[in-house]
Amino acid sequence: MNFVGEIDREPERADAEEALWLLRRWAAQADPTEVARLDPAIARLLPGREVGNYPDLSRVYPDDFRADTDYRASMPDLQNGPSSLIVGARAQIQHVGISNFRLPIRFHTRDGGDITLETSVTGTVSLIGEKKGINMSRIMRSFYAHAERTFSFSVLEAVLQDYKTDHDSIDARLMMRFSFPARVESLRSGLTGWQYYDIALELVERDGVRNRIIHLDYVYSSTCPCSLELSEHARQSRGQLATPHSQRSVARISAVENGGRRLWYEDLIDLARAAVPTETQVMVKREDEQAFAELNAANPIFVEDAARSFAERLLADERIGDFRVVASHQESLHSHDAVSILTEGPTFVSESIDPRLFASLHKAG
């Protein structure tokens, strides 16, 4: 029944009494949540369920109010409440915390300088089955306590220890993601431009063991070796002009620092470029475009070749322990992508993969 817009006269007392009777009859069968959703003021009209102070609640923000020690101590803290408040299974949670907490962070560079970059932080801790939850803001406060320092893995370890102690947790994880700019030179014209690399630093503590991990997304061009041979066959056998297909490709390289030896972001970028030299270009004149076509023809590569080429360089670097290479060749011939995953060591071994893993390698132009 809907009376809105149907009353064409001023309601009389009898109308109000009838409406009140109907409202009370409905409310007697409804639970308090349903009543509150309709209008909290209705509770004042129901026998035995009055809210005596409802009209007296202030709607003016108290600018001059200050929360002193006693007031803060009186405030409820549901998240740190007793285990009786736990919802669901009393199971251990491996990771709980915050993601995409952003702030400007200063980083060291290989040449001895510093650079300030907008950084996205993910911080998590483990939670035993008998604890209700964690105080999320403590993770941010722990991070801000070190935010003015120039960051390195040693600083990350100090942050990790702080919020691990604050939450009385066994395991913890901290990740910082940023876009790292580096000047690169064109192939032949001598022009330079800024190339941006998606990088993440990850510090993981599990069962008392800490691992320092660097993640790099490296974007390159991949020319299909099969397509190259077929194009040459058409030229030679039939005098037919043909071009091999190439596509923008991405490799996500994840490497564990071995024995605490410093692996710079620039080192990992150089390693990737040495393994697969057909990195996408920033500044290009005609001679650079021609050079890039020649470079691709000199380095045709399947997705399997790419994974193994990166692995060869990673295995040869003594600063690198376990690693993972996830490669995606985003086909120009097919409507699907060609992908591969190669791991070394136990750190990155997994029977299951994130269903959106390969989609996350697609890069906007």
Side-chain angles (χ1 to χ4, degrees):
M1 184 180 297
N2 184 2
F3 293 105
V4 177
E6 295 182 6
I7 298 178
D8 56 1
R9 59 180 175 78
E10 284 294 318
E12 299 177 355
R13 180 182 176 85
D15 297 317
E17 289 176 347
E18 182 179 356
L20 180 59
W21 176 84
L22 185 62
L23 179 61
R24 284 175 170 168
R25 184 177 179 185
W26 169 81
Q29 302 175 22
D31 61 48
T33 300
E34 289 180 291
V35 174
R37 283 176 179 168
L38 182 61
D39 189 336
I42 292 172
R44 287 181 51 80
L45 306 177
L46 305 179
R49 291 166 64 181
E50 296 86 352
V51 180
N53 69 337
Y54 179 80
D56 301 326
L57 295 177
S58 173
R59 294 179 178 268
V60 178
Y61 178 74
D63 288 295
D64 57 348
F65 177 76
R66 297 293 179 268
D68 59 21
T69 303
D70 291 340
Y71 183 83
R72 290 195 296 271
S74 73
M75 297 174 69
D77 187 1
L78 181 63
Q79 195 69 338
N80 289 303
S83 58
S84 60
L85 296 177
I86 291 175
V87 176
R90 294 193 181 187
Q92 177 174 334
I93 298 177
Q94 284 71 41
H95 301 284
V96 58
I98 60 171
S99 177
N100 200 30
F101 160 53
R102 294 183 297 168
L103 70 170
I105 292 292
R106 189 168 62 251
F107 296 92
H108 283 308
T109 57
R110 187 174 58 182
D111 61 7
D114 288 343
I115 185 171
T116 299
L117 302 170
E118 179 184 321
T119 304
S120 170
V121 177
T122 295
T124 63
V125 293
S126 61
L127 182 67
I128 62 174
E130 294 303 312
K131 289 184 69 174
K132 167 69 175 171
I134 70 168
N135 188 322
M136 300 284 181
S137 65
R138 286 184 183 176
I139 295 176
M140 292 184 285
R141 293 201 299 270
S142 297
F143 209 93
Y144 261 105
H146 300 269
E148 297 304 315
R149 301 173 66 182
T150 302
F151 265 68
S152 62
F153 269 119
S154 60
V155 179
L156 286 182
E157 290 196 357
V159 177
L160 187 83
Q161 186 60 49
D162 283 354
Y163 80 77
K164 184 171 173 283
T165 300
D166 284 345
H167 290 93
D168 191 26
S169 295
I170 301 170
D171 301 330
R173 180 186 303 263
L174 185 66
M175 179 181 286
M176 303 168 62
R177 293 187 297 109
F178 50 90
S179 184
F180 182 76
R183 272 198 175 275
V184 295
E185 187 173 338
S186 61
L187 294 173
R188 286 183 180 151
S189 67
L191 296 174
T192 62
W194 291 103
Q195 188 81 278
Y196 285 83
Y197 300 89
D198 288 345
I199 291 177
L201 304 183
E202 185 177 21
L203 182 64
V204 181
E205 179 168 336
R206 185 174 183 182
D207 298 329
V209 178
R210 289 181 179 175
N211 273 330
R212 300 175 171 188
I213 305 171
I214 301 180
H215 305 269
L216 163 70
D217 281 10
Y218 178 71
V219 185
Y220 58 99
S221 172
S222 59
T223 293
C224 174
C226 182
S227 180
L228 179 60
E229 292 298 318
L230 291 172
S231 296
E232 287 305 303
H233 179 270
R235 289 169 183 262
Q236 294 174 12
S237 65
R238 296 186 289 115
Q240 177 63 48
L241 179 64
T243 58
H245 75 86
S246 302
Q247 51 272 321
R248 184 181 297 179
S249 304
V250 182
R252 180 165 296 153
I253 300 170
S254 303
V256 176
E257 276 196 359
N258 190 21
R261 298 181 61 186
R262 184 65 181 266
L263 179 67
W264 294 95
Y265 330 125
E266 298 96 326
D267 293 339
L268 197 56
I269 293 168
D270 289 346
L271 182 152
R273 192 180 294 129
V276 178
T278 51
E279 182 179 19
T280 54
Q281 301 293 295
V282 181
M283 300 294 288
V284 175
K285 297 179 74 172
R286 282 181 297 171
E287 57 266 39
D288 300 311
E289 186 170 358
Q290 186 181 64
F292 193 61
E294 295 171 14
L295 184 64
N296 271 267
N299 295 275
I301 192 167
F302 291 121
V303 73
E304 303 94 329
D305 302 324
R308 288 170 173 156
S309 294
F310 291 122
E312 181 180 30
R313 296 285 178 166
L314 292 162
L315 287 166
D317 195 316
E318 294 182 351
R319 296 169 298 177
I320 296 173
D322 293 357
F323 62 79
R324 178 183 61 207
V325 177
V326 182
S328 174
H329 289 192
Q330 291 150 25
E331 293 278 331
S332 61
L333 171 64
H334 302 291
S335 57
H336 55 262
D337 301 334
V339 298
S340 66
I341 300 177
L342 186 157
T343 65
E344 172 70 21
T347 302
F348 301 104
V349 173
S350 176
E351 293 184 7
S352 175
I353 62 172
D354 179 350
R356 300 290 294 170
L357 172 63
F358 296 113
S360 72
L361 269 65
H362 283 253
K363 301 295 180 182

